[in-house]
Amino acid sequence: MDSHKSIQNLSIPELDVDAVRKDFPILQTTIHDKPLIYLDNAASSQKPEFVIKTINNYYSYEHSNVHRGIHHLSQQATQQYEQAREKVANFIGANHSHEIIWTRGTTEAINLVAYSWGQNNLKQGDVIIISTCEHHSNIVPWQLICELTGATLRHLPLDSHDKSFNLNKLAEMLTPNTRMIALTHMSNVLGTITDLSKVVELARHNGSLVLADGAQSVPHIPVNVAELGIDFLAFSGHKMLGPTGIGCLYGREELLEDMPPYQGGGDMIETVTMSQSTWNQLPYKFEAGTPNIAGAIGLGAAVDYLEHLGMESVRAHSHKLNSYAISALSEIDQISIYGPRNPSVRGGVFSFNHADIHPHDLGQVLDSKGVAIRAGHHCAQPLMAELGVGSTARASFYIYNTQSEIDELCAAIKSAGEFFSK
Amino acid sequence: MDSHKSIQNLSIPELDVDAVRKDFPILQTTIHDKPLIYLDNAASSQKPEFVIKTINNYYSYEHSNVHRGIHHLSQQATQQYEQAREKVANFIGANHSHEIIWTRGTTEAINLVAYSWGQNNLKQGDVIIISTCEHHSNIVPWQLICELTGATLRHLPLDSHDKSFNLNKLAEMLTPNTRMIALTHMSNVLGTITDLSKVVELARHNGSLVLADGAQSVPHIPVNVAELGIDFLAFSGHKMLGPTGIGCLYGREELLEDMPPYQGGGDMIETVTMSQSTWNQLPYKFEAGTPNIAGAIGLGAAVDYLEHLGMESVRAHSHKLNSYAISALSEIDQISIYGPRNPSVRGGVFSFNHADIHPHDLGQVLDSKGVAIRAGHHCAQPLMAELGVGSTARASFYIYNTQSEIDELCAAIKSAGEFFSK
Amino acid sequence: MLDELYKEIILDHYKSPRNRGKASKVDFHAHGVNPLCGDDIELTLTVDRDIIEEVKFDGHGCSISQASASILTETLVGLTLDQAHTKIEHVKSLFKGNDIVTEDLGDIEALQGVRKFPVRIKCATLAWNALQLSLQNSATGQSTAYSDE
Amino acid sequence: MLDELYKEIILDHYKSPRNRGKASKVDFHAHGVNPLCGDDIELTLTVDRDIIEEVKFDGHGCSISQASASILTETLVGLTLDQAHTKIEHVKSLFKGNDIVTEDLGDIEALQGVRKFPVRIKCATLAWNALQLSLQNSATGQSTAYSDE
Ligand SMILES: Cc1ncc(COP(=O)(O)O)c(C=O)c1O
Ligand SMILES: Cc1ncc(COP(=O)(O)O)c(C=O)c1O
């Protein structure tokens, strides 16, 4: 598979990382007088000038509320806002732009499905399956709706050896009562990529729906909902070069049509009387109140930027960095990496622990050298329990990261090792 | 009352409107080759350079995810983000900054209360009171929760004469079963300002809570939740010079403490296991997932800007424009204004109709002259029904509007009248 | 620019609407609302052996929606139901700017100005959409008002 | 800058923790967790006629939380419960930078470096908060673990 990948890569243009880096103002800055080495991309990515300028321009010259206005600014804002929706729909291969619902981010998108779909479709005896390596965003909403409806939440254990999803195990768990399988498409701790097509195949057999948490996958690998055959996809703008406060729920038209609204208010209604209301059509039924207009337009610009680079190239760059990181980190004796070693089945998220240094201390020492990593439970406490740790250190890469930054990371880890053994 | 106001005004510094206008890049632009006259502020305000630059700067040099990071950027972002919360808390006179919950806007804030508070506190026989002149955001969420819990939604009719709230009528409606009175603080159609202290007084007698929809009031008049004694206040950043996608719910600490979470996910939890979760403390319990960080920081900057002008001065400017608008619009025979004529009991929102021109046509003609107004039902269909119209035209003012712009508005209306009678 | 939207013909139909009222014998009834604008249009048709004998409209709304309804009444009278179907489809796509004009369209041509004013397209199509839905419904035996938002 | 946080004394307490383990006789028990970091500390105290005779700690976490717990055990031994109360309050406000030092604080002084590292203050205060809650709970008869997030 690996050699197949590299042959395939021949035809994919390589990212011009130097050029990319110039597009990101923050990468020109220093932290504690050291050049910033930003390796916290799984938490949130940085923003290119192009996205920042789009937002700036919008607020400076084009802002107005959308949808209801007859005046020029309002029409123009509406048009840009809806174009952004089309861009996102294209980007993930949705059939219709009204299958894209704007949300605050992945978390709200999953809450929307859990609540709106769950309220109408779940009852005692029904089962929702999630895995042990989900982000809290893909655990807690299901706990809440199960409590409300009496449905049962089951979790797919990870393969005890390499902590990947065990699809045979999933097949065994499925029953006609399984209503939803909600899995991360790429783990924000282990980096593992889920074979969603296989999951969908299994689910179809049992009449279950599939929701994919795309928070980590959509920014980093080509994702096509139609090809994958999934029913729902949730992701966040801020992890894919876009602004904060905007994200998307993709849902298949028929499913969204059947779901009751989530929040009530302006824009999501057709008619309101004091005694009752009727709902607007998709996507507006799920978008109550003034939306994050600048956020949506900014995310549209981020999609433009990513498409300009090409998602195949983005993935190829990640693949290259991953291979390099695995060997480089493996050379440090005290470091143990969690997650798969094969760069073809993982994204650029590396969680690890140092035998002698607590992740918090490691993060602190690295920060003093300008290297930004994350330390903690990464909103994945059940996975931490499974791994038998309280927390991990995590370095995560994106389009602007380089092999020499990985060298710096490793050098900083080594020097932290010396500091704590001095 | 009016003369008292003008005496009081002597000590309030007047807005330097010319200077203010220079702060707004969009006001330097033209629409259809005419200078933009932006009178759609009740829908959304424009943004000063100061706010735009704050956002620009944040994304260019300071962005990172908040709360969980040990590295410099994350700490800095967290600090700015929490400072913004403190600014907002101060701005509205909250006792604690953790009484400020970030939401997408007014709509989400009201949905949060209706769902989270309502779920725990409402049952068959309980009554929620709203008024006939509410925005859909303060109607639909209550309809949804009443349907879920079996509580009853009653509406306070407007005074048949001047369409103000009839507080005697409210007193009559209250019973020990009244759990919540949810009223707009300033109508987005009529401009009427609600005497919330009186409402609170009545509510206290009956043990009811009071929620104020501050979408129109917080941007335009000094609002102090402690002085008013209200329990909840909802408002939107985008109507008060801030970014889109951010708003606030203020809630009294004891009430928020007792409420279950709204959305589930990262940040809002303390511990998660596969079988159950425990909730984080205020305000984080209600803030699941990565928040709109740039939005919050941008709103903080908007609050700085408004405080720099002084909310008393903002109100005085509005008072002046309102007086002027009432006389100027009254001079046009075909125009009928809805809402009170006394500038002291109203904000700068003017809904009106033209005897010979449909609001849409009026909006269209005005747009061709660079004058941006709104035409439609303003998300207040029950009020439209009460007024006996399908829609109205609406001009709404803010700190950068001038008397000469009102002159232009009137001239444009007159010329539209000629166009349609030609 | 404004003149393209508000052509003389449109203003004339708005000020002196043709066929306002209710058909003498109601074989088809169509109701269209645009809750956003508050536009509300009722169409009533008398049909004799598949031929539209009379079309009337009532209701209120902006100049574009009213003029368009007025023009509709003049356009469809005398057509068979099948011809009316085809006509409605054609007119709708003209408003949206999808079709090129090859025939003489009479007053409908004046309505094409809405193409440049995207938010007003809904105003122009309201009556046409409502009637289309009514004709479809009567084929399937349903009865719902057309609502545009 | 780093050296201010990781003073020699801190690293020494981290690498050679004092009083690790469990008190011989458990009169007070305190449990503190910081779910965010995964820090987890257990304190056990032997108290004789109001005087703290023995303090031991167990658990895991970052250098700051562990060193702070180690220092706590040395600081509180020999004090009365009342004195311990006062001490805890004082130490907590020192960490937060609210108080000025007027006395000799011994190893606690080394922990003051956290003031410049706001996110680490929680690590430094964890053991102290947990013990404070335990003492309060025992006064009111409750029993809950201290949890910091
Ligand atoms: C009185 C009132 N309430 C609620 C809202 C809804 O605010 P938002 O759309 O920002 O959620 C608005 C504005 O649209 C309003 O004017
Ligand atoms: C896998 C995964 N799911 C969900 C989320 C939640 O995303 P957000 O916080 O943007 O809602 C994240 C990131 O925090 C994530 O990595």
Side-chain angles (χ1 to χ4, degrees):
Chain A
M1 176 158 189
D2 227 339
S3 68
H4 164 73
K5 267 274 167 190
S6 35
I7 290 165
Q8 205 184 47
N9 285 357
L10 285 180
S11 59
I12 299 168
E14 224 179 289
L15 283 196
D16 180 349
V17 183
D18 286 343
V20 167
R21 290 182 67 83
K22 291 208 183 82
D23 290 338
F24 289 76
I26 208 168
L27 298 180
Q28 325 308 322
T29 63
T30 57
I31 300 290
H32 310 308
D33 297 325
K34 317 255 176 3
L36 168 64
I37 296 180
Y38 186 77
L39 305 178
D40 192 19
N41 292 289
S44 198
S45 80
Q46 295 302 341
K47 321 298 170 203
E49 186 93 43
F50 179 67
V51 169
I52 301 171
K53 281 223 168 117
T54 299
I55 298 168
N56 198 86
N57 209 53
Y58 172 74
Y59 281 134
S60 297
Y61 307 116
E62 298 164 345
H63 171 67
S64 163
N65 212 327
V66 290
H67 290 319
R68 297 171 180 288
I70 225 162
H71 60 79
H72 178 77
L73 283 173
S74 175
Q75 288 189 41
Q76 187 178 292
T78 304
Q79 204 178 345
Q80 283 195 63
Y81 171 75
E82 291 301 335
Q83 267 168 7
R85 197 192 301 273
E86 276 163 35
K87 286 177 191 174
V88 169
N90 270 330
F91 186 65
I92 62 160
N95 285 324
H96 310 285
S97 66
H98 60 249
E99 293 178 320
I100 303 295
I101 314 292
W102 298 121
T103 63
R104 183 171 25 251
T106 306
T107 303
E108 186 174 50
I110 299 177
N111 274 275
L112 196 166
V113 177
Y115 185 72
S116 167
W117 170 85
Q119 205 188 2
N120 259 14
N121 290 281
L122 290 178
K123 55 178 193 314
Q124 197 123 19
D126 288 345
V127 172
I128 307 285
I129 296 178
I130 61 174
S131 85
T132 311
C133 82
E134 299 308 316
H135 188 280
H136 294 165
S137 299
N138 199 26
I139 303 175
V140 187
W142 301 113
Q143 290 179 337
L144 293 174
I145 193 68
C146 282
E147 203 175 303
L148 207 68
T149 60
T152 306
L153 188 61
R154 293 248 163 82
H155 69 285
L156 171 65
L158 302 179
D159 185 282
S160 59
H161 171 60
D162 69 352
K163 307 293 174 196
S164 67
F165 287 146
N166 189 326
L167 294 185
N168 294 332
K169 182 79 201 156
L170 177 61
E172 283 168 27
M173 285 174 75
L174 290 176
T175 75
N177 291 336
T178 310
R179 294 273 161 274
M180 175 72 82
I181 306 171
L183 296 178
T184 186
H185 193 189
M186 184 192 289
S187 161
N188 68 316
V189 177
L190 305 173
T192 338
I193 298 172
T194 310
D195 188 341
L196 283 178
S197 303
K198 284 245 178 70
V199 173
V200 167
E201 211 180 293
L202 292 174
R204 287 291 169 265
H205 255 85
N206 285 271
S208 167
L209 299 178
V210 175
L211 174 143
D213 173 351
Q216 297 297 336
S217 63
V218 174
H220 296 277
I221 61 178
V223 174
N224 185 301
V225 290
E227 280 172 21
L228 292 171
I230 53 181
D231 302 291
F232 296 102
L233 176 71
F235 54 103
S236 304
H238 69 96
K239 294 185 203 274
M240 53 189 284
L241 312 180
T244 56
I246 190 80
C248 299
L249 172 67
Y250 156 82
R252 267 202 302 120
E253 188 182 37
E254 314 88 88
L255 297 169
L256 293 177
E257 288 286 5
D258 277 354
M259 283 157 55
Y262 180 52
Q263 300 182 331
D267 264 351
M268 55 69 73
I269 56 86
E270 184 187 66
T271 56
V272 177
T273 67
M274 274 299 170
S275 52
Q276 67 174 46
S277 303
T278 59
W279 316 131
N280 200 341
Q281 65 204 28
L282 291 178
Y284 310 111
K285 179 169 76 175
F286 293 109
E287 295 179 348
T290 303
N292 188 349
I293 308 168
I297 294 171
L299 178 51
V303 165
D304 284 342
Y305 188 91
L306 284 171
E307 287 192 327
H308 169 75
L309 298 180
M311 285 308 291
E312 291 289 350
S313 301
V314 168
R315 173 60 181 145
H317 179 68
S318 161
H319 192 275
K320 201 173 83 181
L321 288 185
N322 294 350
S323 308
Y324 192 81
I326 289 165
S327 10
L329 285 167
S330 302
E331 273 170 27
I332 309 173
D333 284 344
Q334 299 94 328
I335 292 290
S336 27
I337 303 176
Y338 305 104
R341 293 183 160 257
N342 175 355
S344 299
V345 300
R346 60 137 56 241
V349 186
F350 287 88
S351 288
F352 53 89
N353 266 324
H354 190 287
D356 307 329
I357 316 176
H358 188 273
H360 261 197
D361 291 317
L362 188 59
Q364 191 87 57
V365 177
L366 264 52
D367 177 60
S368 73
K369 297 177 189 305
V371 181
I373 65 160
R374 201 138 278 241
H377 56 54
H378 317 295
C379 294
Q381 289 180 3
L383 177 56
M384 295 295 121
E386 165 88 11
L387 297 176
V389 297
S391 59
T392 75
R394 183 183 73 184
S396 51
F397 313 128
Y398 209 8
I399 47 172
Y400 33 69
N401 291 122
T402 63
Q403 295 189 347
S404 85
E405 287 182 324
I406 294 175
D407 292 340
E408 295 286 342
L409 166 70
C410 292
I413 294 173
K414 283 175 197 155
S415 115
E418 281 155 27
F419 183 82
F420 274 90
S421 65
K422 82 182 166 192
Chain B
M1 177 161 188
D2 227 339
S3 68
H4 163 74
K5 267 274 166 187
S6 35
I7 289 164
Q8 205 184 47
N9 286 357
L10 285 180
S11 58
I12 299 169
E14 225 179 287
L15 283 196
D16 179 351
V17 181
D18 286 343
V20 166
R21 290 182 68 83
K22 293 210 182 79
D23 290 338
F24 289 76
I26 207 168
L27 298 181
Q28 325 308 323
T29 63
T30 57
I31 300 291
H32 310 308
D33 297 326
K34 317 254 174 5
L36 168 64
I37 297 181
Y38 186 77
L39 305 179
D40 192 18
N41 292 288
S44 197
S45 79
Q46 295 301 341
K47 321 298 170 202
E49 185 93 43
F50 179 68
V51 168
I52 301 170
K53 281 225 167 115
T54 300
I55 297 168
N56 198 87
N57 208 53
Y58 172 74
Y59 281 132
S60 297
Y61 308 117
E62 297 164 346
H63 171 67
S64 163
N65 213 328
V66 290
H67 290 320
R68 296 170 180 288
I70 225 161
H71 60 78
H72 179 77
L73 283 174
S74 175
Q75 288 188 42
Q76 189 178 290
T78 304
Q79 205 178 343
Q80 283 194 63
Y81 171 76
E82 291 301 335
Q83 267 168 8
R85 198 193 301 274
E86 276 163 35
K87 285 177 192 175
V88 169
N90 269 330
F91 185 66
I92 61 159
N95 286 324
H96 311 284
S97 66
H98 60 249
E99 293 177 322
I100 303 295
I101 314 292
W102 298 120
T103 64
R104 183 171 25 250
T106 306
T107 303
E108 186 174 50
I110 298 177
N111 274 276
L112 196 165
V113 177
Y115 185 72
S116 166
W117 170 86
Q119 204 188 3
N120 259 15
N121 290 280
L122 290 177
K123 57 178 193 312
Q124 197 123 19
D126 287 346
V127 172
I128 307 286
I129 296 178
I130 61 175
S131 86
T132 311
C133 83
E134 298 308 317
H135 189 279
H136 293 165
S137 298
N138 199 27
I139 303 175
V140 187
W142 301 113
Q143 290 179 336
L144 293 174
I145 193 70
C146 283
E147 202 175 303
L148 208 69
T149 59
T152 306
L153 188 60
R154 293 248 163 82
H155 70 284
L156 171 65
L158 302 179
D159 185 281
S160 57
H161 172 59
D162 69 351
K163 306 294 175 197
S164 67
F165 288 145
N166 188 327
L167 295 184
N168 293 333
K169 184 78 200 155
L170 177 61
E172 282 167 28
M173 285 175 74
L174 290 175
T175 75
N177 290 336
T178 311
R179 293 273 160 275
M180 175 73 81
I181 306 171
L183 295 179
T184 185
H185 193 189
M186 185 192 291
S187 161
N188 69 316
V189 176
L190 306 173
T192 339
I193 299 172
T194 310
D195 188 341
L196 283 178
S197 304
K198 285 245 179 71
V199 173
V200 168
E201 212 180 294
L202 291 173
R204 289 290 168 265
H205 255 84
N206 286 270
S208 167
L209 299 178
V210 175
L211 174 141
D213 173 349
Q216 296 297 336
S217 63
V218 174
H220 296 277
I221 61 178
V223 174
N224 186 301
V225 291
E227 280 171 22
L228 292 171
I230 54 181
D231 301 291
F232 295 103
L233 176 71
F235 54 103
S236 304
H238 69 96
K239 293 185 202 274
M240 52 189 285
L241 312 180
T244 56
I246 190 81
C248 300
L249 171 68
Y250 156 82
R252 268 202 300 120
E253 187 181 38
E254 313 88 87
L255 297 170
L256 293 177
E257 288 285 5
D258 276 354
M259 283 156 56
Y262 181 53
Q263 300 183 331
D267 264 351
M268 56 69 73
I269 55 86
E270 184 187 66
T271 56
V272 176
T273 67
M274 274 298 169
S275 52
Q276 66 174 46
S277 303
T278 59
W279 316 130
N280 200 342
Q281 66 203 28
L282 290 180
Y284 310 112
K285 179 170 76 174
F286 294 109
E287 295 178 348
T290 303
N292 188 349
I293 307 168
I297 293 171
L299 179 51
V303 164
D304 284 342
Y305 188 90
L306 284 171
E307 287 193 325
H308 168 74
L309 298 180
M311 285 307 291
E312 291 290 351
S313 301
V314 168
R315 173 59 181 146
H317 178 68
S318 161
H319 191 276
K320 201 173 83 181
L321 287 186
N322 293 350
S323 308
Y324 192 80
I326 290 164
S327 6
L329 285 168
S330 303
E331 273 170 27
I332 308 173
D333 284 344
Q334 298 94 328
I335 293 290
S336 27
I337 304 176
Y338 305 102
R341 293 181 160 259
N342 175 355
S344 298
V345 300
R346 60 137 55 241
V349 187
F350 288 88
S351 287
F352 54 90
N353 267 325
H354 191 286
D356 307 329
I357 316 175
H358 188 274
H360 262 195
D361 293 316
L362 188 60
Q364 192 87 56
V365 178
L366 265 53
D367 177 61
S368 73
K369 298 177 187 307
V371 181
I373 65 160
R374 201 138 278 241
H377 56 54
H378 317 295
C379 295
Q381 289 180 5
L383 177 56
M384 294 296 119
E386 164 88 10
L387 298 175
V389 297
S391 59
T392 74
R394 183 183 72 185
S396 51
F397 313 127
Y398 209 9
I399 47 172
Y400 33 69
N401 291 121
T402 63
Q403 295 188 345
S404 84
E405 286 182 324
I406 295 175
D407 291 339
E408 296 285 343
L409 167 69
C410 292
I413 295 173
K414 283 175 198 155
S415 114
E418 281 154 28
F419 183 82
F420 274 90
S421 65
K422 81 181 164 192
Chain C
M1 173 124 174
L2 255 199
D3 291 338
E4 285 191 56
L5 183 63
Y6 297 120
K7 296 229 175 73
E8 291 265 339
I9 302 173
I10 306 294
L11 290 176
D12 183 53
H13 273 278
Y14 178 49
K15 288 175 204 162
S16 325
R18 326 293 196 257
N19 304 309
R20 224 189 148 97
K22 200 167 166 187
S24 44
K25 186 170 143 288
V26 179
D27 296 309
F28 285 91
H29 170 258
H31 186 196
V33 293
N34 185 336
L36 182 55
C37 329
D39 290 350
D40 193 313
I41 286 172
E42 297 234 30
L43 293 162
T44 43
L45 282 72
T46 310
V47 176
D48 189 21
R49 273 161 302 171
D50 234 40
I51 295 190
I52 299 174
E53 302 248 295
E54 195 183 6
V55 193
K56 296 252 177 174
F57 88 98
D58 220 337
H60 54 87
C62 69
S63 59
I64 305 297
S65 70
Q66 300 298 298
S68 183
S70 171
I71 291 169
L72 177 147
T73 62
E74 290 196 327
T75 307
L76 298 187
V77 84
L79 300 188
T80 65
L81 288 177
D82 265 3
Q83 287 171 325
H85 254 305
T86 316
K87 193 77 176 180
I88 292 173
E89 266 308 322
H90 182 45
V91 168
K92 278 174 57 185
S93 71
L94 278 176
F95 292 165
K96 288 179 189 151
N98 301 338
D99 270 21
I100 296 154
V101 194
T102 50
E103 13 150 15
D104 175 21
L105 284 165
D107 291 358
I108 292 170
E109 221 169 316
L111 275 170
Q112 281 187 81
V114 295
R115 290 181 178 191
K116 297 223 176 112
F117 299 82
V119 275
R120 305 307 292 275
I121 293 175
K122 285 182 175 183
C123 310
T125 47
L126 181 61
W128 305 83
N129 276 324
L131 184 55
Q132 190 175 42
L133 184 67
S134 158
L135 297 178
Q136 284 163 359
N137 280 346
S138 84
T140 62
Q142 292 184 304
S143 158
T144 43
Y146 178 80
S147 167
D148 197 344
E149 173 152 30
Chain D
M1 172 123 175
L2 255 199
D3 291 337
E4 285 191 55
L5 183 62
Y6 296 119
K7 297 231 175 72
E8 291 265 340
I9 301 173
I10 305 294
L11 290 177
D12 183 54
H13 273 279
Y14 178 50
K15 288 176 205 163
S16 325
R18 327 294 196 257
N19 302 309
R20 222 188 150 98
K22 199 168 169 188
S24 44
K25 188 172 141 284
V26 179
D27 296 309
F28 285 91
H29 170 259
H31 186 197
V33 292
N34 184 335
L36 182 55
C37 328
D39 291 351
D40 193 312
I41 287 173
E42 296 234 30
L43 293 162
T44 43
L45 283 72
T46 309
V47 176
D48 189 20
R49 273 160 304 171
D50 233 40
I51 294 188
I52 299 173
E53 301 248 295
E54 197 184 3
V55 192
K56 295 252 178 172
F57 88 98
D58 219 337
H60 54 87
C62 70
S63 60
I64 304 297
S65 71
Q66 300 297 298
S68 183
S70 172
I71 291 169
L72 177 147
T73 62
E74 290 198 328
T75 307
L76 297 187
V77 86
L79 301 189
T80 66
L81 288 177
D82 265 4
Q83 286 170 327
H85 253 306
T86 315
K87 192 75 175 181
I88 293 172
E89 265 308 323
H90 182 45
V91 168
K92 278 173 57 184
S93 69
L94 279 177
F95 291 164
K96 289 178 188 153
N98 300 338
D99 270 21
I100 296 155
V101 194
T102 50
E103 12 147 19
D104 176 19
L105 284 165
D107 291 358
I108 292 170
E109 221 169 316
L111 276 170
Q112 280 186 81
V114 294
R115 292 180 177 191
K116 298 223 175 113
F117 298 82
V119 275
R120 305 307 294 275
I121 292 175
K122 285 181 172 182
C123 310
T125 47
L126 182 59
W128 306 82
N129 276 325
L131 184 54
Q132 189 175 41
L133 184 68
S134 157
L135 297 179
Q136 284 163 0
N137 280 347
S138 83
T140 63
Q142 292 183 303
S143 157
T144 43
Y146 177 80
S147 168
D148 197 343
E149 173 149 32

